Amino acid sequence: MFNSDPNLKPISAKLPKAIIMMVEKGNLVMAIKSLAEDENISMDEAKLRIDAYETELKNKQQQNLTTIANKQGIPNEALSFDREPEVEIVPESLIKHRVKTTKSEQGFKSLQKGVDSKLDDIGYKKPLLPYWAKRLIVIAAIMAGLFWILWRVFG
């Protein structure tokens, strides 16, 4: 077939290794700039080539995941790449004297409960005074001692 513009490269041309690595790491802007400079093409053409490579890569990943899922007996309906995961919304009953917490506070509280339960499982006992409180007491005692010595010498 006759190509009217010999400088025009097809979109499906293979990308250089460095560009492929940038695309896989998610550094798309740098990949587009580098491809445009290396091959002396416009940014739009470079973006089209990189987008084509990305869709090809995603299709390969989907195919690999579906073949693995089929081997393990997972139905294809369970593997949906286009939709967001469903979040269950549990309506909470109103409690009169309770302050509602935000999601980040709930996450921290659940993390704290998990750590506490893990420490209980291994038999760890919490100390009576935390480590930072012991340090403050030692520093205060040293300062009081120095103050008393200086008061006796100069007072």
Side-chain angles (χ1 to χ4, degrees):
M1 190 165 153
F2 178 70
N3 190 356
S4 61
D5 188 3
N7 294 331
L8 185 64
K9 294 184 180 179
I11 291 178
S12 63
K14 187 170 173 134
L15 295 175
K17 276 271 194 218
I19 305 297
I20 290 173
M21 289 174 62
M22 285 184 217
V23 170
E24 289 175 355
K25 289 182 179 179
N27 196 351
L28 297 175
V29 174
M30 192 66 194
I32 292 170
K33 285 183 180 180
S34 299
L35 184 63
E37 287 176 6
D38 291 348
E39 297 190 1
N40 206 13
I41 58 176
S42 71
M43 297 281 243
D44 291 332
E45 292 175 25
K47 183 183 181 315
L48 287 174
R49 285 184 54 193
I50 289 176
D51 286 343
Y53 175 77
E54 264 190 317
T55 55
E56 180 183 328
L57 183 67
K58 286 180 183 178
N59 288 338
K60 284 182 184 178
Q61 288 175 347
Q62 275 184 329
Q63 288 173 352
N64 289 342
L65 284 175
T66 53
T67 54
I68 291 170
N70 289 337
K71 287 179 183 176
Q72 294 179 353
I74 300 172
N76 288 338
E77 294 83 30
L79 296 175
S80 177
F81 300 102
D82 297 334
R83 62 185 169 106
E84 302 249 341
E86 294 179 12
V87 179
E88 287 186 33
I89 299 173
V90 180
E92 297 180 21
S93 61
L94 294 176
I95 299 174
K96 191 173 186 177
H97 298 291
R98 189 178 123 202
V99 177
K100 189 169 184 174
T101 58
T102 61
K103 287 196 181 260
S104 61
E105 290 172 353
Q106 289 173 352
F108 180 73
K109 285 181 182 178
S110 67
L111 176 67
Q112 207 170 22
K113 286 179 187 175
V115 169
D116 287 342
S117 67
K118 189 69 173 176
L119 290 176
D120 290 340
D121 289 345
I122 61 174
Y124 178 77
K125 303 270 186 201
K126 289 186 179 178
L128 187 61
L129 281 175
Y131 186 71
W132 61 269
K134 290 178 189 175
R135 276 203 168 176
L136 285 178
I137 291 172
V138 169
I139 290 170
I142 291 172
M143 288 177 68
L146 285 174
F147 178 73
W148 184 76
I149 290 171
L150 290 174
W151 184 59
R152 295 295 277 168
V153 170
F154 296 112

